[in-house]
Structure formats: structure tokens, C-alpha cells
Amino acid sequence: MLGARTWLGRGLLLPCARAGRAASPRGSSSRDKDRSVTVSSSGPMPAGGKGSWTNCSPSTPQKVPNRLINEKSPYLLQHAYNPVDWYPWGQEAFDKARKENKPIFLSVGYSTCHWCHMMEEESFQNEEIGRLLSEDFVSVKVDREERPDVDKVYMTFVQATSSGGGWPMNVWLTPNLQPFVGGTYFPLEDGLTRVGFRTVLLRIREQWKQNKNTLLENSQRVTAALLARSEISMGDRQLPPSGATMNSRCFQQLDEGYDEEYGGFAEAPKFPTPVILSFLFSYWLSHRLTQDGSRAQQMALHTLKMMANGGIRDHVGQGFHRYSTDRQWHIPHFEKMLYDQAQLAVAYSQAFQISGDEFYSDVARGILQYVARNLSHRSGGFCSAEDADSPPERGMQPKEGAFYVWTVKEVQQLLPEPVPGATEPLTSGQLLMKHYGLTEAGNISPSQDPQGELHGRNVLTVRYSLELTAARFGLDVEAVRTLLNTGLEKLFQARKHRPRPHLDSKMLASWNGLMVSGFAVTGAVLGLERLINYATNGAKFLKRHMFDVASGRLMRTCYAGSGGTVEHSNPPCWGFLEDYAFVVRGLLDLYEASQESSWLEWALRLQDAQDRLFWDSQGGGYFCSEAELGAGLPLRLKDDQDGAEPSANSVSAHNLLRLHGFTGHKDWMDKCVSLLTAFSERLRRVPVALPEMVRALSAHQQTLKQIVICGDPQAKDTKALLQCVHSIYIPNKVLILANGDPSSFLSRQLPFLSTLRRLEDRATAYVCENQACSVPITEPCELRKLLHQ
């Protein structure tokens, strides 16, 4: 705890939580009856109590906007009419704080965060709070999705000095940007057991006047401790730890926390965490003949099936909500994030490769159908998220989940048709309600809905298999499937008339990179060219709108403008490590799906830029931000957590291995070894915190397969061999198309490709390991046998 004192605390409310360290161990339901707030401080501060809250509603425009009106971020624009003298993050705010010797109040959130809306409604729209923040503090608003570096630095402080973290995140800083008090959501008023925001502001104002030197000293001490604790470096180590040992330890830690009944790896809240599922699939592949290997496969497939049947999946419109507030995956926190859709599409595609069960491929297709319909911009890019909140009817205050929940009466009115052949009188609506667990009283527990917002309403969740539902009413399984699908389509059409949740139309390079992977991998696995076309258009968007040709740098953000245009902030927000890592991964996946070498060429250029901007030549690994971009921040971090999104260092380790496989460039293999060595201590201590990096470590210490297909890309026999490779789960491979041209990009990188020939003028496959290649193979069934060995 770094010697920090907690103001109050029976845990931390994390309504807009992330999987991983930022999640409270006790859960974070946005309908949690026992809401409590933790405030962390680097100095002694008094205690407070419990307050009340109200429903959030759209910001009421004031006559005069504040300076956030000039920003592009949807989140900052949501606060542009607050009676607060908000500044965006930047030198103007810092200079004012130093000149006037005032503490900085930093508030970080994002536009689809339910409790960010709550705090704005209660506190930031309050005139008295506005005066306090404007007169005694320099108030700064940050969109965490625009500035992940700022978010990570101060979230590290909040997590280290309290029981967790989440959004909104509120931190008080010295004029030199060092934190001294931090917390998450604050109610406006004091209660019995927690302090209100007004009281917090008054006490910090008083402490700054009366006890400033102590605050500054404590702040410096805490910052120094955080710096020491967050350092990730090779030190004297020459090599990373044993991949087999870390693999085994990570699996055992996951096995111990596994929920046998419902799947997943926590009580509540439950997050999808695709990085864990990806690790388990890789572990299964390398331990197929062992009991642990079978266990890993079962854990991952069961979790994916339970999630897909639960209410965390939108059965009407597809896609997945952010997390489940309960152990059963039943009642979700309703926001939908692009990065979840991207990673889950890949996870369900891999589950299909491994199991052959079309249930998983159907789910993957549904996710991408949702993204194409609701999150795609006409430029080819993908928008960030949809809100949890929306008005139940036009003109009403927004409520969480209003767009997604149903009453029995609504369903009965929409589906009144009798079902022929049933053993008892039955309507289509009754059949659907039985299968998806809808009840007259509503299937949402009052303990998850203390304000009664969802009383009498239902979240669709699969309660029975198709076979059981069919047997219950004496119907044919296929007839039941057709009736349910028809019913869901009618609900979908009816839902179109409801007010939609707010769309965060900001487009991020990193999440777009993940989405390129989602479409490319799923399209390749399922053999669906239209999905690969979405990935191609996403990559074209990134190159056209988020890449500066002159400097070779990526931009972090761009925004949907009017009439389908794309706008940028001025000056542009430059990319962070995760932008480069996720885009490079997306381009490598797109090359393997499309065999267009231009995407591979661009991936190499971006990796060179990433190495130049973020590589730590002393300690190994990559910093999260450029040195210049983060100037003034008290920490320059290397992210060491695979959570809701994988760590950019974990993804980079995989990228470096793959790029070495595509090019043979030794420098990238050396960098991969240095990166894994730098994270040795973290890997040894808590491998379960970095499952994606453990996977990269194992891939590095095993042999990467180079699968080379020699043939005409348009010929049927070439496509058959390519599809054979895509249909098999082979995580540690690169797939190369050699078209026989010695002057081609890949032939120049890997001269041995020119020695591989087609057999009898037919498309021919070679599997190469350690610079030795298999005999030539022309039949997909023979290739399948070899790849399964």
C-alpha cells in the first residue's frame, strides 16, 4: 500500500471496470446495492460516509460552453456545458496550476461509462461544485481512450494506494503532476459510511492551504515508490525463464480459480478475458495427450458456451456486452466495446477450429454481423463503443439496459401466433419466453436492481437446449430452431423503434487493429471472403486516415465527422505502443488471410517505427508511450497486465516472432528474447497476469512453423491448400504464399523460397522448421495429417 492511508472504505465501486488489476475482488455491479467508494491518499486525510445517487441524464446545455467545446473527443464534449472551467490535458492547464500555485483536479473517463455519466449528473453539473473546481483547482478532463498513458500512470497510483481502480477516476495532483489523493466515483453528498465529493473538495482545499508541504513530501515519496515498483528491466538476466514451467504454473493458477458450473475465472463480476481463453487453447495444443491438456480445452470451450448462452451476449442483435454482474453470465453491464467484439470473434473462431462445433462459428459470425451493422463507419474504420444507457422512450431519462430488456407483455404482443403441432396450446411468444427464461415478474433479481429501474423486465438468456425445449412441447428440433430465429428477428425489428444507446464514434488505431484481426482470422477460418474484405477495408482506413507518411508514425485517434467524413484533432494525437502493436498484429493476420504482401510490407515499416519510438535499449521491452509525448508525467511505464485487452508488450513479443518467421531478420528475434527477459520477474511471480506473454514465451522456446504454399493465388488447388491450413488451429506458425517470382517481396526476405518448386505444376505445400522443409505435399488431406502431428 506504499504507506498510503485510506479515507474510508468497505471496498471499491468499479461500475465501469476493466478485467485484470483494475477490477475489485468483491465485484462491481452497476446495480450493486452496497455501493461504496475508496479514496486513496499519500497523506493523512479525514474519513467520510455514505451518500445517495440519482439517474443519469444528458447534459443540460448552459448558456456558455467551457473550453472543452473545442475538443473532438465525444467524452470531453459530454462535459462541454458543465459549469466547470475544464481544461483538456496540456501545457495551458499545467502553466496555470504552477502560476497560481493550485492543485490540479484530474478526472478521467470515457463516453460510454455509466458511472462517469452519474458523476457528471450529480457533481459536474452542480453550480456550487463548478465554482469550487474553478476557483480552488485547475480542473482537467481526460478521455482515457485518447490518452491511455495518462490513464495508466494515475491508475497505477490509485491501484497501489487503494483496493482497486475504475472509472471515473479522480486524482488530485501537484502542479508538477505528482498525485497525492485519488479515488473513483464519488457521490455528491456525505452518507453514513462514505464521503461526498463536496466534502472531499473542501478538505483537499483546506489541506493544500494548511498542510501543503506534507502533501508534497508524501506525494514525492509515493511517486518514488511507484517508480521503483513499476520498473521492468532485464537487469543481470541473460535469458527469459522456462516456457514449460511458466506454462504449467499459469495453467495451475487458472485451474484453481475456474468456475466448474458456469465457466469463467471469478465469482462476480465476470469478464470475457479472451487472453485467458487463447492461452488455454495453446496449452491444450501442446499438452493434447495429457489430462491437463484435456482440462484446458474443456475449461475454454465450456466458458465460451456459457457466455454465448448467457445474457452477456445480446441474443437479439448479437455482439457481447462488457461484463456480467453475476456469476451466471446472466445480467450484464450493457455497454458494448469494440475490443471485446474483436477478440471474442477470434476466440469463437478458434473454438470452432478445435471442436468442429458450428455453435461457435455461428457466434463468431453473429459478433461480426453486429460490428458491421452498428460499429462500422463508411470510411472502413470501426467506432469505439455503444453506451449501456439509453432512454426507455424518447424524451425520457436514460436508464441502463433500457434498449436491451423486455417485458412478457411486449413479447406476447409481438409473437401471438399459435405453434402448430405442440402437445399443448402454445404461442410463438410463449415458446421464446420458455427457452430464454422470461417471466411475468422479470428475471432480474431485486438485489441487482435496488432502484427498481428494471422491475418486471427480462434479459434473454438460454435456459434449455433446443432438444429440451422441443421435447417439452413435443416439437421437432428444427421447427423450434426456425420458430426461435423468427421470433428473435421480430424482436430485433421492434427494437429498432427504441431510442438507441449513444455511439462513441471515435476511432482508435489500436482497437481498429484488433478488429482487422477479428475479421481477417474469422474470415479465413470460415472461408468467408466478405469478412476478409471488411478486414481489408479496415486496414485501408488505417493507412489512409491514421498514418502519417512523412514521419512513418501512426495517429491514435480520428473522429466521425458530418456526412460520413473523418476528422482529426489539431495537433493530432500520436499513437501509443498499443496502437503499433495491435495494428501490426492485424496486418500480419490480414496478410495470412488475403495473401496480399503489401500488408506485410506495411507491418514491417510500422514495426521499425515502433522499435524507434518505444524500445528501451537499456532495460529491454517497450515503453507504453513516446518519451516526448509523456514529458512531465511522473512515470514512463511498460504495461505488465493482460486484461480486457492484451498488454502491448505481450502482443509485440508474438509480432516479433512472426516477423522473424516472415523475414529471417535476426534483430527481431533478439528483441523478442530481450523483451521476454525483461518481464522475467513478473512472469515468475504471477504468470496468470500475463497469459498472452506466457503464450509468446512458449512459442519462442518451441519451433515456429513456416507453412509455404507454392501456387497461383487465384487457382482452386492453391485455395484448397490455404483453406486446409486456415481450418486447423496452429497458433505458432506463419503462412506464406510463394508465387514463384524471385523478385517478390517475400522471396527477397527469405531466399530459400526460390528453391521450393511446384510438384507436377500443381499447388504444393511445404512445412519448414529450423531451416528444413518437409517433402512437397499437393493434397489437402496429406497436409492436414502433417499439420496435426
Side-chain angles (χ1 to χ4, degrees), residues 145-447:
E145 294 165 359
E146 279 191 334
R147 291 300 303 256
D149 57 332
V150 175
D151 180 57
K152 282 187 176 88
V153 164
Y154 296 111
M155 187 65 76
T156 299
F157 167 77
V158 171
Q159 289 171 332
T161 55
S162 72
S163 61
W167 298 277
M169 176 176 67
N170 298 291
V171 186
W172 285 262
L173 319 176
T174 69
N176 290 327
L177 307 185
Q178 291 187 329
F180 61 90
V181 171
T184 53
Y185 162 83
F186 295 90
L188 177 60
E189 303 292 352
D190 291 351
L192 294 175
T193 60
R194 59 182 184 174
V195 68
F197 190 56
R198 179 188 285 107
T199 301
V200 174
L201 291 176
L202 293 172
R203 289 176 181 170
I204 291 177
R205 180 180 72 176
E206 192 63 23
Q207 289 283 320
W208 186 259
K209 289 177 181 175
Q210 304 295 330
N211 203 20
K212 181 167 59 178
N213 288 338
T214 303
L215 286 180
L216 293 175
E217 288 168 11
N218 287 330
S219 175
Q220 289 170 355
R221 178 172 50 79
V222 169
T223 303
L226 287 175
L227 192 59
R229 203 173 87 166
S230 63
E231 185 179 3
I232 291 171
S233 173
M234 289 186 292
D236 297 330
R237 290 179 287 269
Q238 301 299 312
L239 291 170
S242 158
T245 303
M246 295 303 101
N247 231 1
S248 176
R249 199 174 295 168
C250 186
F251 170 73
Q252 292 301 330
Q253 290 177 342
L254 289 170
D255 191 24
E256 288 165 11
Y258 180 64
D259 183 338
E260 296 284 353
E261 189 173 359
Y262 296 104
F265 301 89
E267 286 296 313
K270 273 190 174 171
F271 290 82
T273 354
V275 288
I276 290 176
L277 303 170
S278 182
F279 167 82
L280 290 171
F281 284 147
S282 287
Y283 187 87
W284 160 77
L285 188 65
S286 57
H287 297 78
R288 283 197 305 275
L289 303 179
T290 70
Q291 190 174 347
D292 281 353
S294 300
R295 169 76 169 161
Q297 183 198 53
Q298 178 264 328
M299 287 160 66
L301 292 177
H302 180 57
T303 297
L304 285 166
K305 185 151 278 190
M306 295 304 289
M307 282 168 43
N309 285 335
I312 191 175
R313 179 183 173 204
D314 177 5
H315 294 276
V316 174
Q318 300 303 314
F320 278 77
H321 299 294
R322 178 72 278 270
Y323 62 83
S324 172
T325 63
D326 55 74
R327 183 183 159 214
Q328 294 84 4
W329 304 105
H330 180 196
I331 307 300
H333 178 50
F334 289 92
E335 66 187 313
K336 289 181 175 177
M337 309 300 293
L338 183 67
Y339 58 78
D340 283 325
Q341 317 309 321
Q343 295 176 89
L344 285 169
V346 173
Y348 280 97
S349 298
Q350 291 172 339
F352 172 65
Q353 285 177 312
I354 289 165
S355 69
D357 186 342
E358 291 188 0
F359 171 86
Y360 298 106
S361 59
D362 288 346
V363 177
R365 266 195 295 266
I367 292 169
L368 297 182
Q369 180 186 30
Y370 160 71
V371 173
R373 184 181 63 240
N374 291 107
L375 297 181
S376 293
H377 189 262
R378 68 175 66 176
S379 64
F382 304 102
C383 299
S384 294
E386 284 194 302
D387 210 317
D389 300 6
S390 60
E393 295 178 23
R394 300 195 188 283
M396 295 179 67
Q397 283 192 333
K399 294 182 179 180
E400 188 174 9
F403 185 71
Y404 299 101
V405 293
W406 300 88
T407 64
V408 162
K409 184 179 178 182
E410 286 173 319
V411 175
Q412 287 174 330
Q413 287 176 343
L414 287 167
L415 304 172
E417 310 85 3
V419 175
T423 53
E424 60 187 79
L426 182 73
T427 65
S428 295
Q430 288 169 330
L431 178 71
L432 186 140
M433 289 187 290
K434 184 71 174 178
H435 188 73
Y436 289 103
L438 278 67
T439 67
E440 193 78 45
N443 63 12
I444 299 168
S445 165
S447 66

Side-chain angles (χ1 to χ4, degrees), residues 469-486:
T469 299
R472 166 72 176 77
F473 297 107
L475 297 168
D476 178 72
V477 171
E478 286 308 310
V480 169
R481 189 195 308 275
T482 301
L483 285 165
L484 291 175
N485 287 340
T486 302

